[in-house]
Every structure is written in C-alpha cells, then in structure tokens.
Amino acid sequence: MFLSPILKELKLKTGAGEFVLPRRSAWDKGEQAREMSKFLVGLGLPPIRFHDLSTTWATLLLSRGVEPIRVMKMGGWSDMKTMMISFRKAGVDLRGATDAMTLHEASRTTETVHDFQRRETGNC
C-alpha cells in the first residue's frame, strides 16, 4: 500500500530492467556479508554477521507462530534439522514449556512474608 507508489516510481526510473532496486554485483558473487559490514560501518553502526540477520528474521517468525516448515522454505534451509540448529539457542522451540508449572496453590494464602534482602540476627 504505502510502498506501492514509491516502488512504481522507482521502476519508472530504472527503465526496462528486471529489478526495481539496484543490484550490487557483490551480492551475486556471494559477498553479502562484506557489503553489509561496509553499509553498517558507513552508518556508524556496529557490524554484525550476515548469518545473524537470517536467524533473527526466522526467530521472529517462529516466535509469532509461523509454522516451522514455512519458515524453513522461505529462508532456504534444506531441512528442518539444519534450520533448528540456530533456533535452539533462541529458545523458540521451548516457548510455553513451563506454563503449566504452579509455584503455589492459588487458594492458599500466605500470612508470613519473609524479606530475604534484610538479614536478621539470631532467627533464620
């Protein structure tokens, strides 16, 4: 919606080319990481690994409930095992695992509150 007029204008400016946005030859040569690093440094931002972008992107999709098989296909991973290597570190596959835990009975009231920050002498 919002981008459509901008993209149409860019397409008119680029002419009969296949792409709307400029293509860097370095991207076609597999040098995306080097190009991204130059871009970030030029903006005064800390460099990050190119791999971190795909992992972050996929982790956000998984955390929002997108099916892992769809994320795998969109991200270009060849199999689920390969994709999940990175995401185990993010804990997305464990989300909600402790939701069933209860630390106390809701019907039971606690009459004594202990302040563990303040040490009292004599009584524990």
Side-chain angles (χ1 to χ4, degrees), residues 52-92:
D52 295 336
L53 290 178
S54 62
T55 302
T56 301
W57 166 82
T59 300
L60 288 170
L61 290 176
L62 291 169
S63 70
R64 286 176 172 76
V66 177
E67 299 89 4
I69 192 73
R70 294 181 74 193
V71 174
M72 183 189 82
K73 287 181 180 180
M74 292 184 329
W77 284 278
S78 58
D79 58 59
M80 191 68 65
K81 182 179 178 184
T82 305
M83 182 185 83
M84 291 308 291
I85 290 169
S86 298
F87 305 109
R88 283 192 194 94
K89 296 176 186 174
V92 173

Side-chain angles (χ1 to χ4, degrees), residues 22-37 39 50 53:
R23 297 290 293 180
R24 308 263 317 191
S25 62
W27 284 71
D28 293 332
K29 296 175 186 174
E31 297 179 13
Q32 298 91 335
R34 186 172 293 116
E35 290 296 306
M36 185 183 71
S37 181
F39 178 75
F50 188 78
L53 290 178

